Amino acid sequence: MKKLICSLLLIPAFFSAQQTVSRDAQIANYVSQVSADSLKSHINKLVSFGTRHTMSSTTDAKKGIGAARSWVLSKFRNYAKNADGRMEVFLQNQTIQPDGKRINQATDLGNAIAILHGTDPNDKRIFMMGGHLDSRVSDVMNAKDFAPGANDDGSGVGAVIESARILSQSKFPATIVFVAFSGEEQGLLGAKMLAEKAKTENWQLEALLNNDMIGNNLSSETNLINANQLRVFSEGLPQFDWDKKAQNIRNLGLENDGDARQLARYIKEVGERYVDNLEVKLIYRNDRFLRGGDHTSFVNQGFAAVRLTEFNENYDHQHQDIRKENGKQYGDLPEFMDFEYFKKNVGINVSVLANLAKSPSKPENVKMEVKELTNFTTIHWEKPKNGEVAGYYVLMRETDASTWQKKFFTKENSIKLPYSKDNYFFAVQAVNNSGNESLIVIPSVK
Ligand SMILES: [Zn+2]
């Protein structure tokens, strides 16, 4: 047996030697830079464009989605000045025609994008964070009336801008992409445009954190307040290449272990490590009941993409005309947001993106021995393609457990554990000296 250290004491320890997973001081520092005041100013500015409806003006200098996306690009360009030429800022746009659904005029659809290129030319990994710039009122086709979209999805775009502000000051081996999508309310159109580009250009996109409504703490109707939990929605069974994957998923019982679900678990573990008083609540579905979001455009192309959303939604302040009825204010206005809660949710994004971009890439050729029947589980792997490696975590959980329960640390390239693969799931991730761990790999059996 190789030297083992187990950590994460979520279930009683089977091994005596313990190792505490500690914070990487650099990442803790990034998280501490997330500012509620800064977020508030981003939201107020976004609201000032009147409407950011996808079919609103793209030529007016002050009002409409064109002015809004120009402003987002100008923020990115400002941050790029501190990035020594590593940050590329551009508008991805195209004119789309009426589609008989939610687009009824020729529309200049544009995503505002900043790419913070990695410093390791051999490291092709890309980690993305997004929110949607477009807003709406009660009528989804109304491109004229005041549609502040403070929370939906000013919060997502504000989170993107704030994260770009903080992370652009540092160098990461892997690449981080910041996006303000357009066309979400009209059918996830901007996200589709970028997901197709990523697919066509073979981007090694390993994660998308889609932030859509992360700044409200109060539920309508039931009046529940929750500023301590953030939901992360993730797909279970994969939409993409289902026919090819189904047999393996069935053979190995992996219906709860798709790439998006693994990313969600990673967000929970890493995010909670850096952000105090916040629990990441894993929701085992791709999105909210019968509703959609921009990550789905990426999920549909086979990328690991998840949705981050506040725990409670408030339908009085979502997709509503700005009005008062019986003394009650409707509409998506900044005054209904909780900026301290919002700040914590941005901290989750910053910590996860930084941890991913600093981490070594995933271990290669991770295989489980299955030649003979045994109550041991033996896994072999090879070192990752990129990054410095201090060792590996072998993760384990019971088959009915939601998250990984134990992490065994080893410096070797294999492990033999006295736990039967019948009763547990296993995975392997690489980790560097700063404690930044890669995404996980489920062992193959071939
Ligand atoms: Zn939204």
Side-chain angles (χ1 to χ4, degrees):
M1 175 93 54
K2 309 298 180 197
K3 189 174 87 175
L4 297 178
I5 304 173
C6 87
S7 64
L8 293 191
L9 308 172
L10 299 174
I11 55 172
F14 294 83
F15 290 82
S16 56
Q18 309 291 335
Q19 175 185 278
T20 309
V21 175
S22 57
R23 288 179 176 173
D24 169 352
Q26 191 183 27
I27 295 180
N29 178 268
Y30 298 146
V31 172
S32 75
Q33 290 178 47
V34 181
S35 151
D37 284 345
S38 174
L39 290 168
K40 206 173 271 180
S41 82
H42 301 330
I43 298 299
N44 288 337
K45 184 68 187 178
L46 287 165
V47 169
S48 77
F49 296 107
T51 178
R52 305 188 307 277
H53 191 279
T54 302
M55 291 183 287
S56 63
S57 173
T58 52
T59 51
D60 190 310
K62 293 213 170 91
K63 299 286 175 189
I65 195 159
R69 75 191 186 195
S70 295
W71 174 73
V72 175
L73 289 169
S74 75
K75 294 300 278 185
F76 287 160
R77 286 198 191 100
N78 240 344
Y79 305 145
K81 285 179 196 158
N82 299 322
D84 305 325
R86 285 172 296 109
M87 189 140 109
E88 181 189 351
V89 178
F90 63 99
L91 179 73
Q92 180 203 18
N93 68 329
Q94 69 176 73
T95 302
I96 54 169
Q97 300 302 326
D99 61 3
K101 291 181 271 185
R102 290 180 169 194
I103 293 290
N104 62 9
Q105 63 185 64
T107 299
D108 175 6
L109 181 76
N111 298 320
I113 301 174
I115 301 181
L116 183 63
H117 289 283
T119 52
D120 179 353
N122 297 316
D123 193 338
K124 305 294 183 203
R125 290 174 302 157
I126 297 173
F127 304 107
M128 189 185 288
M129 168 187 184
H132 71 86
L133 185 60
D134 59 308
S135 63
R136 61 170 284 190
V137 288
S138 303
D139 173 7
V140 70
M141 304 305 281
N142 181 341
K144 295 239 160 18
D145 288 346
F146 181 37
N151 190 46
D152 185 12
D153 184 31
S155 63
V157 174
V160 167
I161 293 171
E162 185 69 350
S163 303
R165 178 179 77 79
I166 295 163
L167 297 176
S168 59
Q169 299 163 27
S170 287
K171 292 181 177 156
F172 299 96
T175 293
I176 304 176
V177 178
F178 304 93
V179 193
F181 295 111
S182 186
E184 197 270 351
E185 306 288 6
Q186 313 310 117
L188 318 179
L189 304 176
K192 187 162 177 277
M193 183 166 71
L194 186 57
E196 285 170 357
K197 178 182 169 71
K199 190 76 191 169
T200 310
E201 296 178 2
N202 284 318
W203 288 15
Q204 196 184 319
L205 175 60
E206 296 196 354
L208 165 65
L209 278 59
N210 177 39
N211 289 265
D212 198 345
M213 298 189 294
I214 58 168
N216 160 74
N217 66 25
L218 176 69
S219 68
S220 47
E221 303 94 35
T222 49
N223 287 316
L224 302 169
I225 293 176
N226 188 335
N228 295 313
Q229 287 180 309
L230 171 71
R231 292 181 293 173
V232 176
F233 287 83
S234 61
E235 173 189 73
L237 297 174
Q239 160 84 13
F240 183 79
D241 266 354
W242 168 246
D243 294 349
K244 286 187 204 155
K245 291 172 184 161
Q247 193 61 48
N248 189 56
I249 289 170
R250 195 161 187 216
N251 285 348
L252 305 183
L254 297 178
E255 57 267 27
N256 192 13
D257 282 83
D259 291 344
R261 181 90 10 111
Q262 300 303 353
L263 173 60
R265 291 190 178 106
Y266 185 97
I267 292 169
K268 178 174 176 62
E269 188 193 342
V270 174
E272 289 178 0
R273 184 184 305 161
Y274 289 98
V275 180
D276 292 316
N277 297 313
L278 191 79
E279 181 192 2
V280 172
K281 193 77 198 152
L282 301 185
I283 306 288
Y284 278 9
R285 35 170 64 122
N286 179 52
D287 206 327
R288 299 145 312 145
F289 204 68
L290 301 177
R291 289 187 291 163
D294 284 329
H295 61 297
T296 301
S297 295
F298 287 83
V299 162
N300 291 346
Q301 296 283 358
F303 297 113
V306 298
R307 178 195 184 107
L308 283 65
T309 300
E310 59 214 15
F311 196 86
N312 290 328
E313 283 186 54
N314 196 311
Y315 304 109
D316 297 336
H317 307 299
Q318 188 184 125
H319 302 182
Q320 290 280 4
D321 291 336
I322 309 303
R323 66 191 192 281
K324 262 194 178 153
E325 268 177 28
N326 302 322
K328 185 173 179 179
Q329 180 71 56
Y330 289 82
D332 189 355
L333 295 160
E335 66 206 67
F336 299 108
M337 292 175 67
D338 173 345
F339 285 88
E340 289 303 319
Y341 174 50
F342 182 15
K343 175 181 147 177
K344 288 192 283 185
N345 295 336
V346 178
I348 296 284
N349 282 271
V350 166
S351 59
V352 169
L353 285 175
N355 204 64
L356 283 169
K358 287 185 77 174
S359 72
S361 47
K362 290 181 273 196
E364 299 280 316
N365 289 320
V366 182
K367 288 185 181 150
M368 186 182 281
E369 279 189 13
V370 288
K371 274 190 241 111
E372 54 189 42
L373 286 172
T374 162
N375 283 302
F376 282 96
T377 294
T378 303
I379 303 167
H380 302 268
W381 57 88
E382 291 163 20
K383 75 174 176 54
K385 284 197 182 112
N386 312 106
E388 156 241 356
V389 176
Y392 301 89
Y393 289 129
V394 177
L395 294 92
M396 182 175 104
R397 70 177 209 274
E398 291 166 285
T399 58
D400 63 349
S402 170
T403 53
W404 297 107
Q405 294 167 304
K406 292 175 77 68
K407 274 183 146 178
F408 303 99
F409 178 76
T410 176
K411 289 179 178 295
E412 310 293 329
N413 284 55
S414 66
I415 200 165
K416 184 178 180 186
L417 293 168
Y419 297 101
S420 167
K421 47 199 156 295
D422 294 344
N423 304 335
Y424 298 93
F425 288 116
F426 296 91
V428 185
Q429 59 188 171
V431 61
N432 63 17
N433 277 319
S434 310
N436 313 119
E437 58 273 80
S438 71
L439 289 168
I440 66 133
V441 185
I442 302 267
S444 75
V445 294
K446 286 178 192 153

